[in-house]
Amino acid sequence: MMKSIWLYVSLFISLVLEVSVLRLPGLSHWAVNIVVWCLVMIGILRGPKAGLVAGIVIGLVQDASYGTFLGETALAYALTGYMAGYVRSLVLRDSLVLAILLTGIGTEVFSWVTYATSRFFGEVTVVMHPALQESARSALSTMVLCLLLYIPFYRMFVRKKRVGYGDESAEA
């Protein structure tokens, strides 16, 4: 239970870091999306429902605080968290390669959903080529972040499987 609470606290800390420290002029060029990475890790570690709920909650917080309209970021984060948890449920084991792949795909999903909703509501007038460059830069830098932080994050928040006396896996 405490690991789950600390996992969601780390999600809010990632939001604070993303909107403050990572917006500094020297760091903003790299466009690391820590919140997407954290949502992907929640989806991997806790499943699609937890990823969906965490995405909606953190997206609504971000929309209420920094967004132009309510629900844009929440929709994109919810899709990202759910997608990560769903794809993880189709795979037998967690791995670094899976986390890096889901981080890249999740960053692209987030970028393009927010771009599409912004274009639909007339909030952004950026053409496709700069949006493609920005999404690729963001995906690659977030994948590098995943490469660096996956193992410590996984060890901190993974749930250990309990083995009982009547469990068949105890004999193996």
Side-chain angles (χ1 to χ4, degrees):
M1 181 68 180
M2 283 304 290
K3 284 187 177 188
S4 293
I5 292 171
W6 282 110
L7 185 63
Y8 290 105
V9 167
S10 70
L11 181 64
F12 282 99
I13 291 171
S14 69
L15 176 64
V16 169
L17 285 174
E18 185 172 323
V19 299
S20 60
V21 175
L22 293 178
R23 296 296 176 233
L24 293 173
L27 296 175
S28 65
H29 176 71
W30 296 102
V32 176
N33 199 334
I34 298 178
V35 176
V36 168
W37 176 74
C38 223
L39 280 172
V40 167
M41 291 304 294
I42 288 172
I44 289 173
L45 295 174
R46 298 294 187 261
K49 289 180 186 176
L52 178 73
V53 169
I56 290 172
V57 169
I58 201 71
L60 287 175
V61 168
Q62 187 171 350
D63 282 340
S65 302
Y66 310 105
T68 54
F69 57 91
L70 194 63
E72 173 192 21
T73 311
L75 172 68
Y77 281 152
L79 286 173
T80 302
Y82 184 80
M83 180 267 317
Y86 179 73
V87 171
R88 166 55 188 98
S89 69
L90 299 176
V91 179
L92 292 176
R93 292 184 47 177
D94 295 333
S95 69
L96 176 61
V97 175
L98 177 67
I100 291 172
L101 179 68
L102 288 177
T103 299
I105 293 171
T107 306
E108 290 291 335
V109 165
F110 172 75
S111 297
W112 289 106
V113 168
T114 54
Y115 178 75
T117 55
S118 296
R119 284 291 295 232
F120 181 74
F121 290 112
E123 293 292 323
V124 69
T125 58
V126 177
V127 293
M128 196 72 105
H129 186 66
L132 180 64
Q133 287 177 334
E134 181 64 29
S135 73
R137 184 181 311 120
S138 179
L140 289 174
S141 60
T142 309
M143 289 167 74
V144 169
L145 175 80
C146 181
L147 180 65
L148 298 174
L149 295 180
Y150 172 77
I151 293 174
F153 198 86
Y154 185 82
R155 286 185 181 162
M156 282 178 61
F157 296 117
V158 70
R159 290 183 182 162
K160 306 273 192 231
K161 292 185 180 180
R162 294 183 182 175
V163 178
Y165 288 113
D167 195 5
E168 295 175 10
S169 63
E171 297 171 7

